[in-house]
Amino acid sequence: AGIAACLKTLKPWTLAALAGIAACLIALWTWHWQIMFSAALLIALTMGPLCRWWTRHQEACPLDHVLASYTAGLFPLAIVVMTTALLGSMLAVLITTPITMLFWTAKLWRAGQVLESAIRWTAFCFIEEIWLVAALRVARRRRKHRFVEGSARAQRAFALYATASAIGYATAQCVVLACVVAGAMEGHTVFEHGRAPEGTVTASETGGLLLLSLCFAWFLLPLRLLAAHLH
């Protein structure tokens, strides 16, 4: 069966998640159509190939599981992971302030900045990986009754679930970073040619936003896919 026929078999919460994607795009459009276009492009470039790959391996698992894994990475996993990782990184910096203060008092400004950045991102990535590993294990336990444990079909299905959730999570990160860039572009940036009112994203800035969004995807997608398969 093709994707159109399988869409009729999607469960209500999967349909609700897909509707949530549309709602988020509309919300972004009310802010700036450029960020909506960037987010839609990122989602299309990730969900499209994933669905196309599934059409060639339909025997591995239902389409509903693939889309559910993708949207789980895109919404609840991304919100929980990035929020707790951000708070954890801030707490780590606060706890290690006495150490970094030694560099500030010794006037080693650059060394202090490097140490603080290293602590911040180490804590962020550590918390992020803990959440992602836990989410993969929960998904595996929740769906293992559908397969013979240890079979080739089970291994292929679980790899597909991990890939879909990793792609969804990486897409959410790219969209968040694109929103941060769009927020900065509301003022005057290096992408702007000439003068424009504050809060306006110019044509040249739109091109810069699309370029940076693709750069985020080129970096984060392979990284998250590699981490998912290592898990």
Side-chain angles (χ1 to χ4, degrees):
I3 293 181
C6 292
L7 288 176
K8 300 178 181 179
T9 65
L10 296 182
K11 296 178 180 178
W13 46 84
T14 305
L15 292 173
L18 294 177
I21 294 177
C24 288
L25 292 177
I26 294 173
L28 291 175
W29 177 73
T30 61
W31 179 29
H32 287 299
W33 69 266
Q34 293 94 337
I35 185 61
M36 183 276 292
F37 182 78
S38 298
L41 182 64
L42 288 169
I43 293 172
L45 291 178
T46 52
M47 185 185 292
L50 187 65
C51 293
R52 188 171 64 250
W53 187 91
W54 173 85
T55 59
R56 302 172 184 173
H57 304 83
Q58 298 185 33
E59 73 285 353
C61 61
L63 178 62
D64 178 78
H65 289 183
V66 177
L67 293 179
S69 297
Y70 178 86
T71 54
L74 188 65
F75 287 123
L77 191 60
I79 294 172
V80 172
V81 172
M82 286 191 284
T83 301
T84 55
L86 181 61
L87 293 176
S89 65
M90 295 171 61
L91 180 61
V93 170
L94 184 62
I95 293 175
T96 56
T97 297
I99 299 176
T100 55
M101 285 297 295
L102 296 177
F103 290 89
W104 303 123
T105 55
K107 296 185 178 180
L108 299 173
W109 314 111
R110 185 58 58 86
Q113 291 175 348
V114 171
L115 178 61
E116 182 176 323
S117 297
I119 293 172
R120 185 186 307 275
W121 287 110
T122 299
F124 186 95
C125 294
F126 179 73
I127 296 172
E128 182 182 53
E129 292 305 318
I130 289 178
W131 272 111
L132 296 177
V133 170
L136 288 178
R137 292 181 176 177
V138 169
R140 187 184 184 96
R141 286 197 301 267
R142 186 160 50 89
R143 291 173 176 157
K144 69 178 183 178
H145 68 280
R146 303 182 64 91
F147 307 98
V148 177
E149 186 67 25
S151 65
R153 182 168 178 263
Q155 296 298 325
R156 185 181 302 175
F158 293 138
L160 182 54
Y161 299 153
T163 300
S165 61
I167 291 175
Y169 179 74
T171 303
Q173 285 188 315
C174 292
V175 172
V176 170
L177 289 173
C179 289
V180 173
V181 173
M185 285 181 173
E186 288 186 326
H188 297 296
T189 67
V190 295
F191 292 104
E192 186 175 346
H193 294 160
R195 294 192 60 82
E198 291 290 333
T200 301
V201 178
T202 64
S204 57
E205 288 177 331
T206 301
L209 177 61
L210 293 176
L211 176 62
L212 290 175
S213 298
L214 292 176
C215 290
F216 296 149
W218 287 332
F219 173 74
L220 290 172
L221 282 171
L223 179 65
R224 292 265 47 98
L225 286 173
L226 176 62
H229 284 285
L230 289 176
H231 294 159

PDB file of all heavy atoms in Angstrom, residues 117-134:
ATOM      1  N   SER A 117      32.331  28.149  28.605  1.00  0.00           N
ATOM      2  CA  SER A 117      31.645  27.579  27.442  1.00  0.00           C
ATOM      3  C   SER A 117      31.758  26.055  27.434  1.00  0.00           C
ATOM      4  O   SER A 117      30.788  25.363  27.108  1.00  0.00           O
ATOM      5  CB  SER A 117      32.240  28.156  26.147  1.00  0.00           C
ATOM      6  OG  SER A 117      32.041  29.552  26.082  1.00  0.00           O
ATOM      7  N   ALA A 118      32.923  25.543  27.800  1.00  0.00           N
ATOM      8  CA  ALA A 118      33.108  24.089  27.839  1.00  0.00           C
ATOM      9  C   ALA A 118      32.205  23.449  28.887  1.00  0.00           C
ATOM     10  O   ALA A 118      31.586  22.402  28.640  1.00  0.00           O
ATOM     11  CB  ALA A 118      34.572  23.767  28.132  1.00  0.00           C
ATOM     12  N   ILE A 119      32.099  24.076  30.053  1.00  0.00           N
ATOM     13  CA  ILE A 119      31.227  23.551  31.108  1.00  0.00           C
ATOM     14  C   ILE A 119      29.775  23.592  30.667  1.00  0.00           C
ATOM     15  O   ILE A 119      29.008  22.633  30.850  1.00  0.00           O
ATOM     16  CB  ILE A 119      31.422  24.361  32.408  1.00  0.00           C
ATOM     17  CG1 ILE A 119      32.825  24.123  32.975  1.00  0.00           C
ATOM     18  CG2 ILE A 119      30.365  23.986  33.446  1.00  0.00           C
ATOM     19  CD1 ILE A 119      33.168  25.034  34.136  1.00  0.00           C
ATOM     20  N   ARG A 120      29.369  24.693  30.056  1.00  0.00           N
ATOM     21  CA  ARG A 120      27.984  24.870  29.631  1.00  0.00           C
ATOM     22  C   ARG A 120      27.582  23.800  28.608  1.00  0.00           C
ATOM     23  O   ARG A 120      26.559  23.131  28.755  1.00  0.00           O
ATOM     24  CB  ARG A 120      27.803  26.269  29.031  1.00  0.00           C
ATOM     25  CG  ARG A 120      26.365  26.607  28.653  1.00  0.00           C
ATOM     26  CD  ARG A 120      26.327  27.956  27.939  1.00  0.00           C
ATOM     27  NE  ARG A 120      26.974  28.997  28.700  1.00  0.00           N
ATOM     28  CZ  ARG A 120      26.379  29.698  29.654  1.00  0.00           C
ATOM     29  NH1 ARG A 120      25.113  29.453  29.967  1.00  0.00           N
ATOM     30  NH2 ARG A 120      27.044  30.650  30.297  1.00  0.00           N
ATOM     31  N   TRP A 121      28.402  23.611  27.572  1.00  0.00           N
ATOM     32  CA  TRP A 121      28.036  22.675  26.511  1.00  0.00           C
ATOM     33  C   TRP A 121      28.241  21.225  26.912  1.00  0.00           C
ATOM     34  O   TRP A 121      27.535  20.343  26.427  1.00  0.00           O
ATOM     35  CB  TRP A 121      28.824  23.000  25.241  1.00  0.00           C
ATOM     36  CG  TRP A 121      28.331  24.247  24.594  1.00  0.00           C
ATOM     37  CD1 TRP A 121      28.952  25.449  24.508  1.00  0.00           C
ATOM     38  CD2 TRP A 121      27.044  24.420  23.979  1.00  0.00           C
ATOM     39  NE1 TRP A 121      28.157  26.365  23.873  1.00  0.00           N
ATOM     40  CE2 TRP A 121      26.977  25.766  23.533  1.00  0.00           C
ATOM     41  CE3 TRP A 121      25.958  23.580  23.759  1.00  0.00           C
ATOM     42  CZ2 TRP A 121      25.864  26.275  22.875  1.00  0.00           C
ATOM     43  CZ3 TRP A 121      24.845  24.086  23.100  1.00  0.00           C
ATOM     44  CH2 TRP A 121      24.806  25.421  22.669  1.00  0.00           C
ATOM     45  N   THR A 122      29.184  20.970  27.807  1.00  0.00           N
ATOM     46  CA  THR A 122      29.334  19.601  28.310  1.00  0.00           C
ATOM     47  C   THR A 122      28.103  19.182  29.093  1.00  0.00           C
ATOM     48  O   THR A 122      27.580  18.074  28.914  1.00  0.00           O
ATOM     49  CB  THR A 122      30.589  19.489  29.201  1.00  0.00           C
ATOM     50  OG1 THR A 122      31.749  19.814  28.421  1.00  0.00           O
ATOM     51  CG2 THR A 122      30.732  18.088  29.756  1.00  0.00           C
ATOM     52  N   ALA A 123      27.622  20.067  29.962  1.00  0.00           N
ATOM     53  CA  ALA A 123      26.415  19.766  30.733  1.00  0.00           C
ATOM     54  C   ALA A 123      25.205  19.623  29.815  1.00  0.00           C
ATOM     55  O   ALA A 123      24.383  18.714  29.988  1.00  0.00           O
ATOM     56  CB  ALA A 123      26.172  20.862  31.773  1.00  0.00           C
ATOM     57  N   PHE A 124      25.092  20.514  28.826  1.00  0.00           N
ATOM     58  CA  PHE A 124      23.957  20.463  27.898  1.00  0.00           C
ATOM     59  C   PHE A 124      23.947  19.131  27.145  1.00  0.00           C
ATOM     60  O   PHE A 124      22.915  18.451  27.083  1.00  0.00           O
ATOM     61  CB  PHE A 124      24.042  21.626  26.917  1.00  0.00           C
ATOM     62  CG  PHE A 124      22.848  21.744  26.007  1.00  0.00           C
ATOM     63  CD1 PHE A 124      21.802  22.586  26.333  1.00  0.00           C
ATOM     64  CD2 PHE A 124      22.770  21.012  24.832  1.00  0.00           C
ATOM     65  CE1 PHE A 124      20.696  22.696  25.504  1.00  0.00           C
ATOM     66  CE2 PHE A 124      21.666  21.110  23.992  1.00  0.00           C
ATOM     67  CZ  PHE A 124      20.628  21.954  24.332  1.00  0.00           C
ATOM     68  N   CYS A 125      25.079  18.758  26.567  1.00  0.00           N
ATOM     69  CA  CYS A 125      25.146  17.517  25.775  1.00  0.00           C
ATOM     70  C   CYS A 125      24.974  16.281  26.651  1.00  0.00           C
ATOM     71  O   CYS A 125      24.364  15.290  26.220  1.00  0.00           O
ATOM     72  CB  CYS A 125      26.475  17.454  25.034  1.00  0.00           C
ATOM     73  SG  CYS A 125      26.670  18.724  23.764  1.00  0.00           S
ATOM     74  N   PHE A 126      25.490  16.314  27.879  1.00  0.00           N
ATOM     75  CA  PHE A 126      25.349  15.170  28.784  1.00  0.00           C
ATOM     76  C   PHE A 126      23.882  14.924  29.123  1.00  0.00           C
ATOM     77  O   PHE A 126      23.385  13.790  29.026  1.00  0.00           O
ATOM     78  CB  PHE A 126      26.157  15.417  30.059  1.00  0.00           C
ATOM     79  CG  PHE A 126      26.054  14.313  31.073  1.00  0.00           C
ATOM     80  CD1 PHE A 126      26.692  13.107  30.861  1.00  0.00           C
ATOM     81  CD2 PHE A 126      25.315  14.484  32.236  1.00  0.00           C
ATOM     82  CE1 PHE A 126      26.599  12.081  31.790  1.00  0.00           C
ATOM     83  CE2 PHE A 126      25.208  13.469  33.164  1.00  0.00           C
ATOM     84  CZ  PHE A 126      25.856  12.264  32.950  1.00  0.00           C
ATOM     85  N   ILE A 127      23.167  15.984  29.505  1.00  0.00           N
ATOM     86  CA  ILE A 127      21.744  15.844  29.828  1.00  0.00           C
ATOM     87  C   ILE A 127      20.955  15.446  28.593  1.00  0.00           C
ATOM     88  O   ILE A 127      20.038  14.613  28.656  1.00  0.00           O
ATOM     89  CB  ILE A 127      21.213  17.162  30.423  1.00  0.00           C
ATOM     90  CG1 ILE A 127      21.921  17.464  31.748  1.00  0.00           C
ATOM     91  CG2 ILE A 127      19.695  17.098  30.625  1.00  0.00           C
ATOM     92  CD1 ILE A 127      21.604  18.828  32.318  1.00  0.00           C
ATOM     93  N   GLU A 128      21.310  16.014  27.456  1.00  0.00           N
ATOM     94  CA  GLU A 128      20.635  15.708  26.202  1.00  0.00           C
ATOM     95  C   GLU A 128      20.755  14.226  25.864  1.00  0.00           C
ATOM     96  O   GLU A 128      19.759  13.568  25.526  1.00  0.00           O
ATOM     97  CB  GLU A 128      21.248  16.557  25.082  1.00  0.00           C
ATOM     98  CG  GLU A 128      20.615  16.381  23.725  1.00  0.00           C
ATOM     99  CD  GLU A 128      21.314  17.205  22.681  1.00  0.00           C
ATOM    100  OE1 GLU A 128      22.567  17.085  22.560  1.00  0.00           O
ATOM    101  OE2 GLU A 128      20.646  17.975  21.973  1.00  0.00           O
ATOM    102  N   GLU A 129      21.948  13.675  25.972  1.00  0.00           N
ATOM    103  CA  GLU A 129      22.153  12.265  25.629  1.00  0.00           C
ATOM    104  C   GLU A 129      21.442  11.337  26.607  1.00  0.00           C
ATOM    105  O   GLU A 129      20.930  10.284  26.213  1.00  0.00           O
ATOM    106  CB  GLU A 129      23.649  11.950  25.588  1.00  0.00           C
ATOM    107  CG  GLU A 129      24.382  12.627  24.452  1.00  0.00           C
ATOM    108  CD  GLU A 129      23.778  12.319  23.097  1.00  0.00           C
ATOM    109  OE1 GLU A 129      23.415  11.150  22.850  1.00  0.00           O
ATOM    110  OE2 GLU A 129      23.637  13.251  22.284  1.00  0.00           O
ATOM    111  N   ILE A 130      21.406  11.700  27.887  1.00  0.00           N
ATOM    112  CA  ILE A 130      20.684  10.872  28.872  1.00  0.00           C
ATOM    113  C   ILE A 130      19.207  10.774  28.488  1.00  0.00           C
ATOM    114  O   ILE A 130      18.611   9.686  28.495  1.00  0.00           O
ATOM    115  CB  ILE A 130      20.851  11.468  30.288  1.00  0.00           C
ATOM    116  CG1 ILE A 130      22.280  11.255  30.779  1.00  0.00           C
ATOM    117  CG2 ILE A 130      19.864  10.818  31.253  1.00  0.00           C
ATOM    118  CD1 ILE A 130      22.543  11.854  32.144  1.00  0.00           C
ATOM    119  N   TRP A 131      18.601  11.908  28.160  1.00  0.00           N
ATOM    120  CA  TRP A 131      17.193  11.918  27.773  1.00  0.00           C
ATOM    121  C   TRP A 131      16.954  11.103  26.505  1.00  0.00           C
ATOM    122  O   TRP A 131      15.993  10.327  26.419  1.00  0.00           O
ATOM    123  CB  TRP A 131      16.721  13.352  27.542  1.00  0.00           C
ATOM    124  CG  TRP A 131      16.212  14.063  28.752  1.00  0.00           C
ATOM    125  CD1 TRP A 131      16.799  15.111  29.402  1.00  0.00           C
ATOM    126  CD2 TRP A 131      15.002  13.793  29.468  1.00  0.00           C
ATOM    127  NE1 TRP A 131      16.037  15.510  30.468  1.00  0.00           N
ATOM    128  CE2 TRP A 131      14.919  14.707  30.537  1.00  0.00           C
ATOM    129  CE3 TRP A 131      13.983  12.859  29.312  1.00  0.00           C
ATOM    130  CZ2 TRP A 131      13.869  14.728  31.437  1.00  0.00           C
ATOM    131  CZ3 TRP A 131      12.921  12.880  30.212  1.00  0.00           C
ATOM    132  CH2 TRP A 131      12.867  13.798  31.253  1.00  0.00           C
ATOM    133  N   LEU A 132      17.808  11.276  25.506  1.00  0.00           N
ATOM    134  CA  LEU A 132      17.602  10.601  24.232  1.00  0.00           C
ATOM    135  C   LEU A 132      17.768   9.088  24.364  1.00  0.00           C
ATOM    136  O   LEU A 132      17.008   8.325  23.755  1.00  0.00           O
ATOM    137  CB  LEU A 132      18.570  11.160  23.180  1.00  0.00           C
ATOM    138  CG  LEU A 132      18.359  12.632  22.824  1.00  0.00           C
ATOM    139  CD1 LEU A 132      19.415  13.108  21.831  1.00  0.00           C
ATOM    140  CD2 LEU A 132      16.962  12.855  22.246  1.00  0.00           C
ATOM    141  N   VAL A 133      18.749   8.654  25.133  1.00  0.00           N
ATOM    142  CA  VAL A 133      18.917   7.212  25.356  1.00  0.00           C
ATOM    143  C   VAL A 133      17.715   6.643  26.094  1.00  0.00           C
ATOM    144  O   VAL A 133      17.196   5.570  25.745  1.00  0.00           O
ATOM    145  CB  VAL A 133      20.220   6.952  26.147  1.00  0.00           C
ATOM    146  CG1 VAL A 133      20.292   5.494  26.593  1.00  0.00           C
ATOM    147  CG2 VAL A 133      21.433   7.267  25.289  1.00  0.00           C
ATOM    148  N   ALA A 134      17.247   7.363  27.125  1.00  0.00           N
ATOM    149  CA  ALA A 134      16.083   6.895  27.882  1.00  0.00           C
ATOM    150  C   ALA A 134      14.848   6.820  26.988  1.00  0.00           C
ATOM    151  O   ALA A 134      14.068   5.861  27.071  1.00  0.00           O
ATOM    152  CB  ALA A 134      15.825   7.829  29.066  1.00  0.00           C
TER     153      ALA A 134
END
